[in-house]
Amino acid sequence: QVQLVESGGGSVQSGGSLRLSCAASGYYFASMAWFRQAPGKEREGVAAISSGGADTYYADSVKGRFTISRDNAKNTLYLQMNSLKPEDTAMYYCAAVRFRYSMPSAQALGAASYNYWGQGTQVTVSS
């Protein structure tokens, strides 16, 4: 059974840190990414990573603050989020795709590139 299960969300104050995890099962996924969606807003790509981890992509709004990584031995994706801001408040989703081992940045941060999704984990940042 294919599953992507996120964890690590929570409530923090502005400037704080959180580490999200996404445990994948069922397949080895080539490219993986984190997306987020705030109430009343469209889902946006936050960070993406290629199969071997050599290529990473970030939304401009999180560059220098967030770091995406993966442990292929554990089939787990991570998102380290530092210097969190209230505008980072959203539901965060893990996404994955098989057989696409690397993509251009615009595709890597586009929701249409992924066909497996987790249920999401809530991140709330208070000022």
Side-chain angles (χ1 to χ4, degrees):
Q1 182 179 359
V2 178
Q3 276 192 312
L4 297 175
V5 180
E6 301 97 335
S7 61
S11 297
V12 295
Q13 290 192 327
S14 181
S17 299
L18 285 172
R19 189 193 195 202
L20 306 184
S21 298
C22 172
S25 60
Y27 293 125
Y28 171 77
F29 294 101
S31 293
M32 301 186 77
W34 289 98
F35 287 76
R36 66 186 181 187
Q37 188 167 19
K41 295 188 177 181
E42 292 187 357
R43 188 170 297 193
E44 66 168 334
V46 174
I49 189 167
S50 61
S51 175
D55 299 320
T56 57
Y57 309 96
Y58 296 94
D60 288 342
S61 58
V62 307
K63 280 180 182 176
R65 300 188 297 122
F66 291 9
T67 302
I68 190 171
S69 62
R70 63 190 295 172
D71 184 337
N72 288 337
K74 296 181 179 180
N75 215 8
T76 301
L77 178 72
Y78 303 99
L79 184 68
Q80 178 66 44
M81 304 187 296
N82 298 329
S83 302
L84 282 161
K85 304 175 181 180
E87 51 263 44
D88 294 318
T89 295
M91 185 72 77
Y92 282 71
Y93 297 91
C94 172
V97 63
R98 301 177 71 196
F99 307 128
R100 294 192 72 181
Y101 297 92
S102 183
M103 291 183 270
S105 175
Q107 292 182 22
L109 294 176
S113 298
Y114 302 89
N115 50 7
Y116 295 94
W117 293 84
Q119 294 299 308
T121 185
Q122 178 68 37
V123 172
T124 302
V125 185
S126 58
S127 57

